[in-house]
Structures are given as C-alpha cells and as structure tokens.
PDB file of all heavy atoms in Angstrom:
ATOM      1  N   MET A   1      96.707 111.891  92.644  1.00  0.00           N
ATOM      2  CA  MET A   1      95.352 111.285  92.937  1.00  0.00           C
ATOM      3  C   MET A   1      95.353 110.767  94.360  1.00  0.00           C
ATOM      4  O   MET A   1      94.466 110.982  95.204  1.00  0.00           O
ATOM      5  CB  MET A   1      95.043 110.253  91.958  1.00  0.00           C
ATOM      6  CG  MET A   1      93.735 109.458  92.258  1.00  0.00           C
ATOM      7  SD  MET A   1      92.251 110.499  92.036  1.00  0.00           S
ATOM      8  CE  MET A   1      92.166 110.524  90.264  1.00  0.00           C
ATOM      9  N   LEU A   2      96.422 110.081  94.758  1.00  0.00           N
ATOM     10  CA  LEU A   2      96.492 109.579  96.130  1.00  0.00           C
ATOM     11  C   LEU A   2      96.572 110.698  97.087  1.00  0.00           C
ATOM     12  O   LEU A   2      96.033 110.545  98.284  1.00  0.00           O
ATOM     13  CB  LEU A   2      97.741 108.602  96.192  1.00  0.00           C
ATOM     14  CG  LEU A   2      97.686 107.305  95.554  1.00  0.00           C
ATOM     15  CD1 LEU A   2      99.054 106.603  95.509  1.00  0.00           C
ATOM     16  CD2 LEU A   2      96.670 106.436  96.113  1.00  0.00           C
ATOM     17  N   THR A   3      97.257 111.742  96.805  1.00  0.00           N
ATOM     18  CA  THR A   3      97.294 112.903  97.666  1.00  0.00           C
ATOM     19  C   THR A   3      95.828 113.448  97.909  1.00  0.00           C
ATOM     20  O   THR A   3      95.362 113.732  98.978  1.00  0.00           O
ATOM     21  CB  THR A   3      98.176 114.073  97.132  1.00  0.00           C
ATOM     22  OG1 THR A   3      99.476 113.589  96.997  1.00  0.00           O
ATOM     23  CG2 THR A   3      98.122 115.220  98.081  1.00  0.00           C
ATOM     24  N   PHE A   4      95.073 113.589  96.795  1.00  0.00           N
ATOM     25  CA  PHE A   4      93.661 114.072  96.914  1.00  0.00           C
ATOM     26  C   PHE A   4      92.888 113.135  97.745  1.00  0.00           C
ATOM     27  O   PHE A   4      92.151 113.563  98.657  1.00  0.00           O
ATOM     28  CB  PHE A   4      93.110 114.210  95.430  1.00  0.00           C
ATOM     29  CG  PHE A   4      91.687 114.651  95.457  1.00  0.00           C
ATOM     30  CD1 PHE A   4      91.374 116.012  95.275  1.00  0.00           C
ATOM     31  CD2 PHE A   4      90.612 113.745  95.611  1.00  0.00           C
ATOM     32  CE1 PHE A   4      90.044 116.387  95.270  1.00  0.00           C
ATOM     33  CE2 PHE A   4      89.303 114.173  95.616  1.00  0.00           C
ATOM     34  CZ  PHE A   4      89.034 115.520  95.424  1.00  0.00           C
ATOM     35  N   LEU A   5      92.943 111.849  97.533  1.00  0.00           N
ATOM     36  CA  LEU A   5      92.239 110.869  98.293  1.00  0.00           C
ATOM     37  C   LEU A   5      92.548 110.896  99.769  1.00  0.00           C
ATOM     38  O   LEU A   5      91.715 110.749 100.647  1.00  0.00           O
ATOM     39  CB  LEU A   5      92.416 109.459  97.650  1.00  0.00           C
ATOM     40  CG  LEU A   5      91.887 109.292  96.225  1.00  0.00           C
ATOM     41  CD1 LEU A   5      92.410 107.996  95.736  1.00  0.00           C
ATOM     42  CD2 LEU A   5      90.352 109.329  96.186  1.00  0.00           C
ATOM     43  N   GLY A   6      93.822 111.024 100.084  1.00  0.00           N
ATOM     44  CA  GLY A   6      94.262 111.058 101.418  1.00  0.00           C
ATOM     45  C   GLY A   6      93.815 112.221 102.195  1.00  0.00           C
ATOM     46  O   GLY A   6      93.562 112.147 103.367  1.00  0.00           O
ATOM     47  N   ASN A   7      93.623 113.326 101.459  1.00  0.00           N
ATOM     48  CA  ASN A   7      93.059 114.519 102.194  1.00  0.00           C
ATOM     49  C   ASN A   7      91.532 114.625 102.261  1.00  0.00           C
ATOM     50  O   ASN A   7      91.072 115.222 103.192  1.00  0.00           O
ATOM     51  CB  ASN A   7      93.645 115.790 101.484  1.00  0.00           C
ATOM     52  CG  ASN A   7      95.072 116.077 101.872  1.00  0.00           C
ATOM     53  OD1 ASN A   7      95.309 116.738 102.866  1.00  0.00           O
ATOM     54  ND2 ASN A   7      96.025 115.549 101.216  1.00  0.00           N
ATOM     55  N   TYR A   8      90.893 114.127 101.231  1.00  0.00           N
ATOM     56  CA  TYR A   8      89.454 114.419 101.181  1.00  0.00           C
ATOM     57  C   TYR A   8      88.566 113.090 101.227  1.00  0.00           C
ATOM     58  O   TYR A   8      87.320 113.293 101.285  1.00  0.00           O
ATOM     59  CB  TYR A   8      89.099 115.188  99.925  1.00  0.00           C
ATOM     60  CG  TYR A   8      89.988 116.469  99.908  1.00  0.00           C
ATOM     61  CD1 TYR A   8      91.037 116.612  98.925  1.00  0.00           C
ATOM     62  CD2 TYR A   8      89.860 117.472 100.812  1.00  0.00           C
ATOM     63  CE1 TYR A   8      91.805 117.770  98.921  1.00  0.00           C
ATOM     64  CE2 TYR A   8      90.614 118.548 100.809  1.00  0.00           C
ATOM     65  CZ  TYR A   8      91.626 118.758  99.844  1.00  0.00           C
ATOM     66  OH  TYR A   8      92.373 119.853  99.853  1.00  0.00           O
ATOM     67  N   VAL A   9      89.190 111.963 101.261  1.00  0.00           N
ATOM     68  CA  VAL A   9      88.338 110.754 101.218  1.00  0.00           C
ATOM     69  C   VAL A   9      88.689 109.751 102.353  1.00  0.00           C
ATOM     70  O   VAL A   9      87.920 109.108 102.871  1.00  0.00           O
ATOM     71  CB  VAL A   9      88.495 109.974  99.804  1.00  0.00           C
ATOM     72  CG1 VAL A   9      87.695 108.693  99.881  1.00  0.00           C
ATOM     73  CG2 VAL A   9      88.000 110.814  98.728  1.00  0.00           C
ATOM     74  N   LEU A  10      90.038 109.684 102.682  1.00  0.00           N
ATOM     75  CA  LEU A  10      90.457 108.775 103.706  1.00  0.00           C
ATOM     76  C   LEU A  10      89.685 109.037 105.017  1.00  0.00           C
ATOM     77  O   LEU A  10      89.552 110.178 105.432  1.00  0.00           O
ATOM     78  CB  LEU A  10      91.976 108.958 103.919  1.00  0.00           C
ATOM     79  CG  LEU A  10      92.585 107.962 104.940  1.00  0.00           C
ATOM     80  CD1 LEU A  10      92.508 106.560 104.507  1.00  0.00           C
ATOM     81  CD2 LEU A  10      94.078 108.406 105.257  1.00  0.00           C
ATOM     82  N   GLY A  11      89.266 108.032 105.673  1.00  0.00           N
ATOM     83  CA  GLY A  11      88.561 108.093 106.949  1.00  0.00           C
ATOM     84  C   GLY A  11      87.053 108.337 106.762  1.00  0.00           C
ATOM     85  O   GLY A  11      86.349 108.446 107.782  1.00  0.00           O
ATOM     86  N   ARG A  12      86.556 108.409 105.529  1.00  0.00           N
ATOM     87  CA  ARG A  12      85.116 108.609 105.274  1.00  0.00           C
ATOM     88  C   ARG A  12      84.626 107.527 104.346  1.00  0.00           C
ATOM     89  O   ARG A  12      85.352 107.028 103.455  1.00  0.00           O
ATOM     90  CB  ARG A  12      84.954 109.957 104.620  1.00  0.00           C
ATOM     91  CG  ARG A  12      85.494 111.205 105.335  1.00  0.00           C
ATOM     92  CD  ARG A  12      85.519 112.425 104.413  1.00  0.00           C
ATOM     93  NE  ARG A  12      84.085 112.818 104.015  1.00  0.00           N
ATOM     94  CZ  ARG A  12      83.867 113.691 103.118  1.00  0.00           C
ATOM     95  NH1 ARG A  12      84.911 114.243 102.425  1.00  0.00           N
ATOM     96  NH2 ARG A  12      82.685 114.059 102.760  1.00  0.00           N
ATOM     97  N   ASP A  13      83.458 107.084 104.510  1.00  0.00           N
ATOM     98  CA  ASP A  13      82.864 106.042 103.630  1.00  0.00           C
ATOM     99  C   ASP A  13      82.156 106.756 102.501  1.00  0.00           C
ATOM    100  O   ASP A  13      80.920 106.812 102.428  1.00  0.00           O
ATOM    101  CB  ASP A  13      81.880 105.163 104.453  1.00  0.00           C
ATOM    102  CG  ASP A  13      81.427 103.911 103.750  1.00  0.00           C
ATOM    103  OD1 ASP A  13      82.127 103.588 102.671  1.00  0.00           O
ATOM    104  OD2 ASP A  13      80.442 103.337 104.107  1.00  0.00           O
ATOM    105  N   VAL A  14      82.900 107.256 101.601  1.00  0.00           N
ATOM    106  CA  VAL A  14      82.404 108.070 100.453  1.00  0.00           C
ATOM    107  C   VAL A  14      83.094 107.708  99.212  1.00  0.00           C
ATOM    108  O   VAL A  14      84.099 107.037  99.140  1.00  0.00           O
ATOM    109  CB  VAL A  14      82.637 109.631 100.765  1.00  0.00           C
ATOM    110  CG1 VAL A  14      81.914 110.026 102.029  1.00  0.00           C
ATOM    111  CG2 VAL A  14      84.126 109.922 100.845  1.00  0.00           C
ATOM    112  N   ALA A  15      82.513 108.198  98.107  1.00  0.00           N
ATOM    113  CA  ALA A  15      83.080 108.084  96.763  1.00  0.00           C
ATOM    114  C   ALA A  15      82.950 109.425  96.053  1.00  0.00           C
ATOM    115  O   ALA A  15      82.033 110.205  96.331  1.00  0.00           O
ATOM    116  CB  ALA A  15      82.414 106.909  96.050  1.00  0.00           C
ATOM    117  N   VAL A  16      83.763 109.645  95.048  1.00  0.00           N
ATOM    118  CA  VAL A  16      83.856 110.953  94.332  1.00  0.00           C
ATOM    119  C   VAL A  16      83.444 110.679  92.877  1.00  0.00           C
ATOM    120  O   VAL A  16      83.823 109.790  92.268  1.00  0.00           O
ATOM    121  CB  VAL A  16      85.331 111.505  94.378  1.00  0.00           C
ATOM    122  CG1 VAL A  16      85.311 112.813  93.648  1.00  0.00           C
ATOM    123  CG2 VAL A  16      85.802 111.722  95.867  1.00  0.00           C
ATOM    124  N   PHE A  17      82.578 111.587  92.391  1.00  0.00           N
ATOM    125  CA  PHE A  17      82.106 111.613  91.024  1.00  0.00           C
ATOM    126  C   PHE A  17      83.270 111.745  90.071  1.00  0.00           C
ATOM    127  O   PHE A  17      84.162 112.531  90.249  1.00  0.00           O
ATOM    128  CB  PHE A  17      81.114 112.685  90.838  1.00  0.00           C
ATOM    129  CG  PHE A  17      80.589 112.869  89.422  1.00  0.00           C
ATOM    130  CD1 PHE A  17      80.217 111.774  88.621  1.00  0.00           C
ATOM    131  CD2 PHE A  17      80.510 114.055  88.795  1.00  0.00           C
ATOM    132  CE1 PHE A  17      79.663 111.957  87.352  1.00  0.00           C
ATOM    133  CE2 PHE A  17      80.027 114.278  87.540  1.00  0.00           C
ATOM    134  CZ  PHE A  17      79.645 113.141  86.776  1.00  0.00           C
ATOM    135  N   SER A  18      83.254 110.914  89.008  1.00  0.00           N
ATOM    136  CA  SER A  18      84.316 110.982  87.990  1.00  0.00           C
ATOM    137  C   SER A  18      84.503 112.344  87.393  1.00  0.00           C
ATOM    138  O   SER A  18      85.640 112.775  87.133  1.00  0.00           O
ATOM    139  CB  SER A  18      84.144 109.952  86.906  1.00  0.00           C
ATOM    140  OG  SER A  18      82.884 110.151  86.252  1.00  0.00           O
ATOM    141  N   GLY A  19      83.405 112.969  87.170  1.00  0.00           N
ATOM    142  CA  GLY A  19      83.477 114.365  86.598  1.00  0.00           C
ATOM    143  C   GLY A  19      84.164 115.331  87.519  1.00  0.00           C
ATOM    144  O   GLY A  19      84.793 116.272  87.070  1.00  0.00           O
ATOM    145  N   SER A  20      84.088 115.092  88.782  1.00  0.00           N
ATOM    146  CA  SER A  20      84.748 116.002  89.759  1.00  0.00           C
ATOM    147  C   SER A  20      86.292 115.783  89.687  1.00  0.00           C
ATOM    148  O   SER A  20      87.046 116.841  89.742  1.00  0.00           O
ATOM    149  CB  SER A  20      84.299 115.708  91.214  1.00  0.00           C
ATOM    150  OG  SER A  20      82.923 115.957  91.392  1.00  0.00           O
ATOM    151  N   PHE A  21      86.709 114.580  89.492  1.00  0.00           N
ATOM    152  CA  PHE A  21      88.162 114.333  89.290  1.00  0.00           C
ATOM    153  C   PHE A  21      88.595 115.034  88.003  1.00  0.00           C
ATOM    154  O   PHE A  21      89.732 115.610  87.934  1.00  0.00           O
ATOM    155  CB  PHE A  21      88.429 112.812  89.208  1.00  0.00           C
ATOM    156  CG  PHE A  21      88.419 112.126  90.440  1.00  0.00           C
ATOM    157  CD1 PHE A  21      87.651 111.025  90.688  1.00  0.00           C
ATOM    158  CD2 PHE A  21      89.220 112.528  91.548  1.00  0.00           C
ATOM    159  CE1 PHE A  21      87.670 110.282  91.843  1.00  0.00           C
ATOM    160  CE2 PHE A  21      89.217 111.881  92.728  1.00  0.00           C
ATOM    161  CZ  PHE A  21      88.459 110.709  92.908  1.00  0.00           C
ATOM    162  N   ILE A  22      87.857 114.954  86.934  1.00  0.00           N
ATOM    163  CA  ILE A  22      88.202 115.660  85.717  1.00  0.00           C
ATOM    164  C   ILE A  22      88.367 117.110  85.939  1.00  0.00           C
ATOM    165  O   ILE A  22      89.350 117.800  85.472  1.00  0.00           O
ATOM    166  CB  ILE A  22      87.133 115.327  84.658  1.00  0.00           C
ATOM    167  CG1 ILE A  22      87.089 113.881  84.265  1.00  0.00           C
ATOM    168  CG2 ILE A  22      87.396 116.190  83.423  1.00  0.00           C
ATOM    169  CD1 ILE A  22      85.972 113.438  83.344  1.00  0.00           C
ATOM    170  N   ASP A  23      87.492 117.786  86.684  1.00  0.00           N
ATOM    171  CA  ASP A  23      87.582 119.106  86.933  1.00  0.00           C
ATOM    172  C   ASP A  23      88.847 119.498  87.867  1.00  0.00           C
ATOM    173  O   ASP A  23      89.475 120.489  87.518  1.00  0.00           O
ATOM    174  CB  ASP A  23      86.281 119.628  87.677  1.00  0.00           C
ATOM    175  CG  ASP A  23      85.082 119.609  86.758  1.00  0.00           C
ATOM    176  OD1 ASP A  23      85.241 119.534  85.570  1.00  0.00           O
ATOM    177  OD2 ASP A  23      83.918 119.611  87.347  1.00  0.00           O
ATOM    178  N   VAL A  24      89.001 118.680  88.799  1.00  0.00           N
ATOM    179  CA  VAL A  24      90.180 119.007  89.699  1.00  0.00           C
ATOM    180  C   VAL A  24      91.480 118.886  88.913  1.00  0.00           C
ATOM    181  O   VAL A  24      92.396 119.676  88.986  1.00  0.00           O
ATOM    182  CB  VAL A  24      90.184 118.093  90.934  1.00  0.00           C
ATOM    183  CG1 VAL A  24      91.514 118.171  91.652  1.00  0.00           C
ATOM    184  CG2 VAL A  24      89.072 118.447  91.826  1.00  0.00           C
ATOM    185  N   PHE A  25      91.603 117.782  88.149  1.00  0.00           N
ATOM    186  CA  PHE A  25      92.899 117.534  87.475  1.00  0.00           C
ATOM    187  C   PHE A  25      93.058 118.416  86.205  1.00  0.00           C
ATOM    188  O   PHE A  25      94.270 118.620  85.790  1.00  0.00           O
ATOM    189  CB  PHE A  25      93.035 116.056  87.139  1.00  0.00           C
ATOM    190  CG  PHE A  25      93.485 115.233  88.310  1.00  0.00           C
ATOM    191  CD1 PHE A  25      92.663 114.911  89.317  1.00  0.00           C
ATOM    192  CD2 PHE A  25      94.831 114.818  88.434  1.00  0.00           C
ATOM    193  CE1 PHE A  25      93.084 114.241  90.425  1.00  0.00           C
ATOM    194  CE2 PHE A  25      95.312 114.112  89.497  1.00  0.00           C
ATOM    195  CZ  PHE A  25      94.401 113.859  90.530  1.00  0.00           C
ATOM    196  N   ALA A  26      91.947 118.960  85.711  1.00  0.00           N
ATOM    197  CA  ALA A  26      92.157 119.961  84.667  1.00  0.00           C
ATOM    198  C   ALA A  26      92.902 121.223  85.281  1.00  0.00           C
ATOM    199  O   ALA A  26      93.674 121.892  84.550  1.00  0.00           O
ATOM    200  CB  ALA A  26      90.813 120.317  84.128  1.00  0.00           C
ATOM    201  N   ARG A  27      92.644 121.512  86.500  1.00  0.00           N
ATOM    202  CA  ARG A  27      93.355 122.621  87.109  1.00  0.00           C
ATOM    203  C   ARG A  27      94.857 122.391  87.217  1.00  0.00           C
ATOM    204  O   ARG A  27      95.592 123.314  87.255  1.00  0.00           O
ATOM    205  CB  ARG A  27      92.769 122.828  88.546  1.00  0.00           C
ATOM    206  CG  ARG A  27      91.314 123.221  88.610  1.00  0.00           C
ATOM    207  CD  ARG A  27      90.800 123.062  90.111  1.00  0.00           C
ATOM    208  NE  ARG A  27      89.395 123.240  90.187  1.00  0.00           N
ATOM    209  CZ  ARG A  27      88.834 124.401  90.665  1.00  0.00           C
ATOM    210  NH1 ARG A  27      89.630 125.424  90.975  1.00  0.00           N
ATOM    211  NH2 ARG A  27      87.505 124.480  90.748  1.00  0.00           N
ATOM    212  N   LEU A  28      95.190 121.086  87.282  1.00  0.00           N
ATOM    213  CA  LEU A  28      96.554 120.671  87.409  1.00  0.00           C
ATOM    214  C   LEU A  28      97.279 120.522  86.073  1.00  0.00           C
ATOM    215  O   LEU A  28      98.416 120.097  85.947  1.00  0.00           O
ATOM    216  CB  LEU A  28      96.711 119.433  88.201  1.00  0.00           C
ATOM    217  CG  LEU A  28      96.394 119.519  89.736  1.00  0.00           C
ATOM    218  CD1 LEU A  28      95.825 118.275  90.222  1.00  0.00           C
ATOM    219  CD2 LEU A  28      97.728 119.829  90.419  1.00  0.00           C
ATOM    220  N   GLY A  29      96.495 120.661  85.034  1.00  0.00           N
ATOM    221  CA  GLY A  29      97.074 120.590  83.650  1.00  0.00           C
ATOM    222  C   GLY A  29      97.042 119.107  83.128  1.00  0.00           C
ATOM    223  O   GLY A  29      97.722 118.806  82.174  1.00  0.00           O
ATOM    224  N   VAL A  30      96.243 118.239  83.763  1.00  0.00           N
ATOM    225  CA  VAL A  30      96.071 116.835  83.293  1.00  0.00           C
ATOM    226  C   VAL A  30      94.826 116.726  82.468  1.00  0.00           C
ATOM    227  O   VAL A  30      93.768 117.168  82.846  1.00  0.00           O
ATOM    228  CB  VAL A  30      96.025 115.890  84.515  1.00  0.00           C
ATOM    229  CG1 VAL A  30      95.761 114.427  84.017  1.00  0.00           C
ATOM    230  CG2 VAL A  30      97.259 116.003  85.350  1.00  0.00           C
ATOM    231  N   SER A  31      94.969 116.137  81.280  1.00  0.00           N
ATOM    232  CA  SER A  31      93.914 116.137  80.315  1.00  0.00           C
ATOM    233  C   SER A  31      92.851 115.072  80.863  1.00  0.00           C
ATOM    234  O   SER A  31      93.162 114.202  81.626  1.00  0.00           O
ATOM    235  CB  SER A  31      94.369 115.627  78.971  1.00  0.00           C
ATOM    236  OG  SER A  31      94.823 114.301  78.985  1.00  0.00           O
ATOM    237  N   GLU A  32      91.636 115.214  80.238  1.00  0.00           N
ATOM    238  CA  GLU A  32      90.554 114.231  80.602  1.00  0.00           C
ATOM    239  C   GLU A  32      90.948 112.791  80.251  1.00  0.00           C
ATOM    240  O   GLU A  32      90.699 111.894  81.015  1.00  0.00           O
ATOM    241  CB  GLU A  32      89.212 114.610  79.927  1.00  0.00           C
ATOM    242  CG  GLU A  32      88.090 113.645  80.244  1.00  0.00           C
ATOM    243  CD  GLU A  32      86.837 114.140  79.658  1.00  0.00           C
ATOM    244  OE1 GLU A  32      86.684 115.256  79.281  1.00  0.00           O
ATOM    245  OE2 GLU A  32      85.850 113.266  79.609  1.00  0.00           O
ATOM    246  N   HIS A  33      91.603 112.660  79.112  1.00  0.00           N
ATOM    247  CA  HIS A  33      92.001 111.331  78.663  1.00  0.00           C
ATOM    248  C   HIS A  33      92.982 110.730  79.632  1.00  0.00           C
ATOM    249  O   HIS A  33      92.866 109.547  79.991  1.00  0.00           O
ATOM    250  CB  HIS A  33      92.592 111.389  77.319  1.00  0.00           C
ATOM    251  CG  HIS A  33      93.256 110.104  76.828  1.00  0.00           C
ATOM    252  ND1 HIS A  33      92.457 109.052  76.400  1.00  0.00           N
ATOM    253  CD2 HIS A  33      94.472 109.680  76.730  1.00  0.00           C
ATOM    254  CE1 HIS A  33      93.222 108.004  76.087  1.00  0.00           C
ATOM    255  NE2 HIS A  33      94.501 108.444  76.294  1.00  0.00           N
ATOM    256  N   ALA A  34      93.977 111.544  80.045  1.00  0.00           N
ATOM    257  CA  ALA A  34      94.992 111.037  80.993  1.00  0.00           C
ATOM    258  C   ALA A  34      94.437 110.712  82.359  1.00  0.00           C
ATOM    259  O   ALA A  34      94.710 109.749  83.021  1.00  0.00           O
ATOM    260  CB  ALA A  34      96.172 112.025  81.132  1.00  0.00           C
ATOM    261  N   LEU A  35      93.466 111.515  82.687  1.00  0.00           N
ATOM    262  CA  LEU A  35      92.774 111.364  84.072  1.00  0.00           C
ATOM    263  C   LEU A  35      91.950 110.031  84.004  1.00  0.00           C
ATOM    264  O   LEU A  35      92.003 109.275  84.953  1.00  0.00           O
ATOM    265  CB  LEU A  35      91.948 112.530  84.386  1.00  0.00           C
ATOM    266  CG  LEU A  35      91.196 112.562  85.713  1.00  0.00           C
ATOM    267  CD1 LEU A  35      89.912 111.769  85.769  1.00  0.00           C
ATOM    268  CD2 LEU A  35      92.091 112.084  86.889  1.00  0.00           C
TER     269      LEU A  35
END
C-alpha cells in the first residue's frame, strides 16, 4: 500500500476511492477483507 501511495499519491493533494484499492489489491491476491 505504501508503495502504491508513494508512486500515485505522494506530491498530489488527492485521495483514492476505497473500491479502487480493492480492485488493485485483488490483482495482488489480497482479499477484500484483508484490504
């Protein structure tokens, strides 16, 4: 998660939708509950 934030959020005044995190981490094999 910190890697994702460092590449796509750091330096920007933005926030990411929780559902987007679920989609990204599903690609990594992380369940919605764990995310």
Side-chain angles (χ1 to χ4, degrees):
M1 177 69 74
L2 289 170
T3 300
F4 180 93
L5 296 169
N7 279 274
Y8 306 112
V9 177
L10 183 64
R12 306 168 62 193
D13 190 16
V14 300
V16 181
F17 175 46
S18 60
S20 297
F21 283 127
I22 293 171
D23 291 343
V24 168
F25 278 77
R27 299 166 184 259
L28 288 150
V30 177
S31 70
E32 179 176 344
H33 173 74
L35 185 277

